[in-house]
Amino acid sequence: MNGVRRSTTSCAAARTPETDDEKNRAGHVLDGAATEQERSREGAREGSDGSGRGRDPVRGPLRRRALHAAVALCLAASLAHVGLVFLHVAPPNVLSQRFNSQVDAWIYPLFEQNWRLFAPDPDSVNRQISARTAHTAPDGSVQVGDWVDLTAVDASAIKHNAFPSHTSQNMLRRSWTSYVELHGGDDLSRSDRAVMMQQYLRNIAVDRMAERDGKPFENIQLRVVTLPVAPQGSADGDRRTAAKNAETRLLPWWKVASDA
C-alpha cells in the first residue's frame, strides 16, 4: 500500500508541472484574444469619430477622383476662356476666322472686350444716350414722358468715384456700339445676334427708366446724339464747330416685353 501511495503521489507531482504550463499557455491565449478585441474596439471608435482608421476603403479613392476631375474641369474651362478671349482680341488670323462663330458665341454679350491686341481703337466720339417712355391711359390717350439722359446718370456715378463699377462705365455704351455694328443705320435685325443685341439694349433702357420713377409704361424710345471729340488744346470756336456737327439718331418705339 505504501508503494502504491508513493507512486500515486509521484505521478501527481509529475503531472503538476504540466498543468501549470497549460495554465500559462491558456493565460497567454486569453490575453492575446483580449488584446485583439481591444484593438477592434479602438478601430471602431476611431472610424466612428472620423480620425482615419476604419474609413471606408472605397469612399476615399472616389473622393480623390472626384476632386481631381473637378480641378481638371476648372483648369480646362479657364484655358478655353483665355484662348477664346485671345482669339477675339488678336488681329485677324487663320484660327480666329475659322472659329469665328464659336468665339462670338462665347464672347457676346458677357465677355466682350473693347480693345484689340497690338492695335487699340479708342472711341473718338462722345455719345449721349437718352430715353423716354409712353403709357396708354385707361381712356385710351397716350402719355409720352420727357427725355432722360441715361449717359449723364452713368457719368455722375463715375465722376469722383475711385472705384467706378463696370456697369456704369461700359454696359450702356458697349450695348449701343454693338447695336450699331449689327444694325447699321436702318434698325433692322437681320440675324439672331442682332435681335439679341436689340433686346439687350432695350432691356437696359427699360431697367434704368423703371428704377428712375417707377411709373408704368408699355413702350420706350431711345435717342442717341453723337458728338465728335474736339482735339486737345483746340479753341472754343473749334469746340462749338464740333458741337454743330453732332448727329442725332432717333430709334423707333419698342414695345416693352413682359420679361424685360
Side-chain angles (χ1 to χ4, degrees):
M1 292 296 291
N2 292 335
V4 175
R5 289 177 181 174
R6 289 194 191 96
S7 62
T8 303
T9 304
S10 61
C11 290
R15 285 196 302 269
T16 300
E18 293 182 0
T19 303
D20 293 339
D21 292 341
E22 291 177 357
K23 289 181 179 180
N24 291 334
R25 287 195 296 271
H28 289 306
V29 172
L30 292 176
D31 292 341
T35 303
E36 188 65 26
Q37 290 180 357
E38 188 65 25
R39 289 177 181 174
S40 300
R41 292 172 184 169
E42 291 179 358
R45 286 195 297 269
E46 291 176 355
S48 62
D49 62 9
S51 60
R53 294 184 182 179
R55 184 178 296 173
D56 190 348
V58 178
R59 187 176 301 175
L62 288 178
R63 289 180 177 176
R64 286 193 296 270
R65 292 176 184 174
L67 179 60
H68 293 165
V71 172
L73 182 61
C74 293
L75 181 60
S78 301
L79 293 176
H81 174 73
V82 172
L84 291 171
V85 171
F86 176 81
L87 291 177
H88 175 68
V89 302
N93 55 74
V94 177
L95 285 177
S96 63
Q97 293 175 358
R98 180 178 179 181
F99 299 102
N100 182 62
S101 60
Q102 290 86 345
V103 172
D104 288 347
W106 179 261
I107 293 296
Y108 296 104
L110 298 179
F111 305 115
E112 184 177 4
Q113 306 293 317
N114 188 24
W115 61 285
R116 291 290 180 269
L117 194 63
F118 309 124
D121 185 20
D123 289 337
S124 58
V125 296
N126 290 324
R127 295 184 178 89
Q128 179 189 22
I129 304 176
S130 304
R132 64 177 178 178
T133 60
H135 171 61
T136 303
D139 59 359
S141 61
V142 178
Q143 302 172 355
V144 179
D146 298 329
W147 289 106
V148 177
D149 191 348
L150 303 181
T151 303
V153 176
D154 287 346
S156 63
I158 297 172
K159 190 175 182 180
H160 305 304
N161 188 349
F163 303 99
S165 68
H166 174 77
T167 300
S168 299
Q169 295 182 84
N170 298 316
M171 178 179 284
L172 182 63
R173 179 176 59 87
R174 290 301 300 151
S175 63
W176 170 250
T177 303
S178 300
Y179 177 87
V180 173
E181 291 175 354
L182 295 172
H183 292 82
D186 53 11
D187 300 311
L188 295 178
S189 302
R190 296 181 174 84
S191 64
D192 292 340
R193 184 163 168 256
V195 173
M196 179 190 69
M197 291 309 304
Q198 184 267 330
Q199 295 174 350
Y200 182 59
L201 177 61
R202 179 204 63 190
N203 291 346
I204 292 175
V206 168
D207 289 342
R208 301 286 180 88
M209 297 299 290
E211 292 175 356
R212 180 176 176 271
D213 50 18
K215 295 180 180 179
F217 56 92
E218 296 79 32
N219 298 277
I220 192 168
Q221 186 181 31
L222 297 182
R223 181 186 66 187
V224 182
V225 178
T226 303
L227 179 68
V229 176
Q232 186 176 3
S234 58
D236 293 339
D238 295 334
R239 295 181 182 274
R240 287 193 294 267
T241 301
K244 292 180 181 179
N245 295 331
E247 297 179 359
T248 301
R249 179 171 175 176
L250 196 63
L251 274 65
W253 284 98
W254 289 334
K255 186 174 181 58
V256 177
S258 57
D259 59 343

